[in-house]
Amino acid sequence: MKLRVLCASVVIAMTASAMASEVKLPNVKIFATGGTISGGSASKTDTTKYQDGQFNVDALINALPDIKTIANVTGEQVVNVSSEDVDSPTLLKLSAAINRSLEDPNIQGAVVTHGTDTLEETAFFLDLTVNSQKPVVVTGSMRPATAISADGPMNLMEAVSLAGNKNSMNRGVLVAMNDRIGSAAFTTKTNSTTPDTFKATEQGYLGTFIGVDPKFYYPPVKPTGQPHFSIDKVTSLPRVDIIYSYQDFDDVLIKASIRNGAKGIVMDGTGNGDVPKRAMKTLEAAMKKGIPVIFASRTGSGYVTSPKSSEGIGSGYYNAQKSRILLMLSLANGDDLNKIKTYFEK
Ligand code: GLU
């Protein structure tokens, strides 16, 4: 009799403690946009010719029952496309949806699943526009869900764990890929096909994962001087083109860009943002007409200074694709050239 009472109270205690630990799990919302993490192929070794966007957010969550041990997850399908097809309206929609969801005191963090090709652009856009100290983590995969050693499931587990962790707060938007934690401002895709592709050559990683537990190298910190833009009243973003420079580069593409309505240009220049003299002349004329030009570097890393003898703005720490995101947002915000300069020259 006594043993039975004891057993019953042990069961009650265990159930209560299991319930308590269930209650403690963070609530994380997953915003799915497509990409390889939702891609599939008939061949288990196909890592390049698969189809993106084969699985929706529910399929991603259901394929990963273990996720329930680290967070209570819910999903929202924003779009289901390859990330080269993510456009400005999608960015505005995604950022607004995340802002809305993080206002909910019951949500501890957000995860975005995304194609890796332009993941860094979306991550940086969110970094500049999400209005919350709660974690926002962007992840994806290099191998489709159907491949041997698919990296998507572990990347998603790690991203959800990171988004539900209090230590991830106040660090800006984070990129979680291949057991590494990177900052949205600096992390870039460096290899076209391998899983160890996301890096920040100069600034490095913010941390790593042991199992699914995030281990940060430093306390919370954000990139120096990074602005925040409210997109509450923004319904569209202005056209900003990126133009690549090379030997023999002339002004034909610059003129075409302006003719087609570019409100700003990012030159992916050589070295410290250089372009040939002839092209520079046309860019000078464009700047005089009020079209800001950001000079980035095709080298892939380093700080780019502003050209001495022009109104041009060096991209600072940002590569061309991140410079484009920052310039689009500052133009949408109505900032003048001097203000825009401060964003890049911090
Ligand atoms: N091009 C596709 C995309 O960016 C596949 C790349 C990937 O997700 O790894 O969505």
Side-chain angles (χ1 to χ4, degrees):
M1 185 67 181
K2 264 189 191 160
L3 183 65
R4 228 183 273 159
V5 171
L6 182 66
C7 285
S9 45
V10 167
V11 168
I12 289 166
M14 282 171 67
T15 313
S17 99
M19 277 168 69
S21 69
E22 253 171 51
V23 171
K24 271 191 206 140
L25 285 183
N27 299 318
V28 173
K29 181 132 183 207
I30 301 175
F31 296 85
T33 67
T36 301
I37 194 165
S38 61
S41 171
S43 159
K44 287 184 180 165
T45 52
D46 173 13
T47 59
T48 56
K49 302 211 164 27
Y50 52 87
Q51 273 259 275
D52 289 334
Q54 296 298 291
F55 305 103
N56 64 20
V57 67
D58 294 331
L60 293 184
I61 295 170
N62 292 337
L64 210 49
D66 292 331
I67 215 163
K68 295 193 179 86
T69 63
I70 54 172
N72 304 310
V73 292
T74 48
E76 182 172 327
Q77 193 75 46
V78 182
V79 285
N80 206 354
V81 297
S82 299
S83 72
E84 55 271 27
D85 292 322
V86 169
D87 52 13
S88 316
T90 305
L91 292 181
L92 289 168
K93 181 177 165 190
L94 175 64
S95 183
I98 293 174
N99 273 329
R100 261 195 315 275
S101 126
L102 294 184
E103 273 167 20
D104 180 345
N106 296 316
I107 302 273
Q108 275 72 51
V111 166
V112 177
T113 59
H114 201 283
T116 58
D117 287 0
T118 69
L119 184 151
E120 64 183 279
E121 289 163 67
T122 295
F124 189 45
F125 184 86
L126 297 175
D127 206 18
L128 296 173
T129 59
V130 167
N131 191 20
S132 174
Q133 298 174 341
K134 293 179 186 175
V136 176
V137 182
V138 188
T139 193
S141 77
M142 291 299 287
R143 293 178 180 151
T146 46
I148 295 169
S149 277
D151 49 337
M154 192 56 162
N155 284 345
L156 186 55
M157 283 287 282
E158 290 178 344
V160 166
S161 163
L162 188 61
N165 193 306
K166 280 196 176 71
N167 294 332
S168 310
M169 291 181 71
N170 284 314
R171 294 178 184 271
V173 172
L174 301 170
V175 174
M177 289 285 297
N178 202 39
D179 293 343
R180 295 328 193 308
I181 305 164
S183 118
F186 301 124
T187 303
T188 186
K189 189 175 187 182
T190 64
N191 186 298
S192 52
T193 56
T194 64
D196 61 335
T197 175
F198 281 93
K199 297 186 174 145
T201 323
E202 287 294 317
Q203 297 83 7
Y205 295 116
L206 304 180
T208 187
F209 291 93
I210 303 300
V212 292
D213 291 334
K215 304 284 180 196
F216 285 104
Y217 301 136
Y218 315 102
V221 68
K222 286 195 183 163
T224 311
Q226 190 167 291
H228 174 267
F229 297 94
S230 164
I231 50 157
D232 290 353
K233 296 193 178 84
V234 178
T235 51
S236 67
L237 293 169
R239 180 182 180 123
V240 171
D241 289 332
I242 299 175
I243 307 177
Y244 195 86
S245 187
Y246 43 86
Q247 292 181 346
D248 292 331
F249 175 68
D250 57 21
D251 58 4
V252 171
L253 294 177
I254 301 168
K255 285 180 173 161
S257 162
I258 295 165
R259 230 185 5 257
N260 284 291
K263 299 290 181 280
I265 292 173
V266 176
M267 277 304 316
D268 207 4
T270 52
N272 185 24
D274 297 324
V275 296
K277 285 188 188 64
R278 184 167 160 195
M280 195 62 186
K281 232 174 128 187
T282 307
L283 290 170
E284 298 277 9
M287 289 187 259
K288 288 221 163 63
K289 283 190 193 140
I291 298 175
V293 180
I294 308 298
F295 291 86
S297 173
R298 67 177 205 180
T299 59
S301 76
Y303 187 100
V304 180
T305 59
S306 296
K308 254 192 239 141
S309 57
S310 86
E311 300 263 82
I313 299 171
S315 68
Y317 298 119
Y318 299 123
N319 64 20
Q321 52 272 36
K322 288 180 202 275
S323 298
R324 175 177 171 271
I325 296 287
L326 180 50
L327 183 55
M328 283 197 301
L329 281 166
S330 35
L331 289 170
N333 199 38
D335 295 324
D336 64 15
L337 209 60
N338 284 333
K339 185 78 187 160
I340 295 173
K341 220 169 186 180
T342 63
Y343 298 145
F344 289 93
E345 281 189 351
K346 62 214 173 165

